[in-house]
Amino acid sequence: MRPASSPERNPVILPIVKIGTPLLRRKTAAVPSALAGSKGLKKLLGKMAATMRHADGVGLAANQVGVNLRLFAMESQKNRRYPKAPAFPLRFYLNAKIVKASKKKVRGWEGCLSIPGYRGLVPRHEWLTFTALTPEGARVRRTVRGFEARVIQHEIDHLNGFFYMDRMKGLRDWFHLDLWDARFRPKVRGRGK
Ligand code: NI
């Protein structure tokens, strides 16, 4: 990691709190409508996006940076942690709520910036419909599937105080990244997920 971008040197990068922090086990507070469109919110979201990118994450919930608010950032570009993941643009969602989801669940590998160094095979709804507010306060209702749906489930779980391991059927498919890398990391030209 570039030392010039560490939280001490660059205030835009926020420290990510780790598992064991009580705020990660609590249900976060709804974003008040007065906050939508505000300068303060814009500033927070900018810092969260920078923090997520700096950590090579594809999603970041507010309580992961110590903020008790029901909002998250997500983005999937070319990413070292998820080299084969489908891309989607940077988005922020406030007060997101899943209103419909597929009965069918699919398993896929997940990691978490609050649990560095591990990956687990997690069953998730294949598709879902959710409602949320945009940072400007506009109401959206979207249906997403696959990796994007997986990230949304992971982030909404964070906002309700859950980790991906809570969704696993036991921890037999939970790996330290050193071993996961050797066994499961998708090859650049291989099939992989
Ligand atoms: Ni996470």
Side-chain angles (χ1 to χ4, degrees), residues 4-18:
S5 300
S6 69
E8 301 76 32
R9 301 283 298 273
N10 186 344
V12 166
I13 309 297
L14 302 169
I16 296 173
V17 300
K18 304 300 189 296

Side-chain angles (χ1 to χ4, degrees), residues 8-184:
E8 301 76 32
R9 301 283 298 273
N10 186 344
V12 166
I13 309 297
L14 302 169
I16 296 173
V17 300
K18 304 300 189 296
I19 186 168
T21 303
L23 186 57
L24 291 177
R25 278 301 190 188
R26 290 216 302 262
K27 195 171 169 147
T28 48
V31 181
S33 51
L35 211 59
S38 71
K39 233 180 184 168
L41 179 71
K42 216 173 254 176
K43 214 165 163 183
L44 169 65
L45 297 180
K47 287 180 187 175
M48 282 178 61
T51 303
M52 179 175 67
R53 286 171 172 167
H54 181 258
D56 283 326
V58 292
L60 184 69
N63 48 347
Q64 291 184 275
V65 291
V67 175
N68 183 15
L69 281 176
R70 215 168 171 71
L71 61 88
F72 65 88
M74 59 189 285
E75 179 185 43
S76 174
Q77 306 297 345
K78 282 220 179 303
N79 184 314
R80 268 179 293 145
R81 287 181 71 237
Y82 295 91
K84 299 287 279 184
F88 49 80
L90 178 65
R91 290 193 184 109
F92 304 102
Y93 292 115
L94 285 45
N95 299 340
K97 191 179 167 191
I98 295 170
V99 294
K100 213 171 146 187
S102 65
K103 216 171 228 164
K104 187 183 173 189
K105 289 189 176 180
V106 286
R107 295 195 308 166
W109 291 104
E110 293 183 25
C112 180
L113 297 176
S114 293
I115 313 161
Y118 293 89
R119 287 287 165 91
L121 198 54
V122 187
R124 297 286 191 186
H125 299 292
E126 188 178 35
W127 61 263
L128 60 88
T129 302
F130 71 101
T131 58
L133 296 177
T134 67
E136 294 74 36
R139 241 189 129 58
V140 291
R141 182 189 169 97
R142 294 191 58 212
T143 298
V144 292
R145 59 174 54 252
F147 186 62
E148 199 173 352
R150 176 171 298 279
V151 173
I152 285 171
Q153 289 169 81
H154 181 116
E155 299 313 321
I156 291 179
D157 266 357
H158 271 308
L159 299 174
N160 288 324
F162 292 100
F163 293 100
Y164 68 82
M165 295 91 76
D166 298 322
R167 302 302 182 204
M168 294 174 66
K169 287 206 170 79
L171 294 175
R172 285 179 176 268
D173 290 317
W174 195 42
F175 286 79
H176 192 280
L177 203 48
D178 290 351
L179 291 98
W180 186 87
D181 268 337
R183 285 183 59 177
F184 303 111

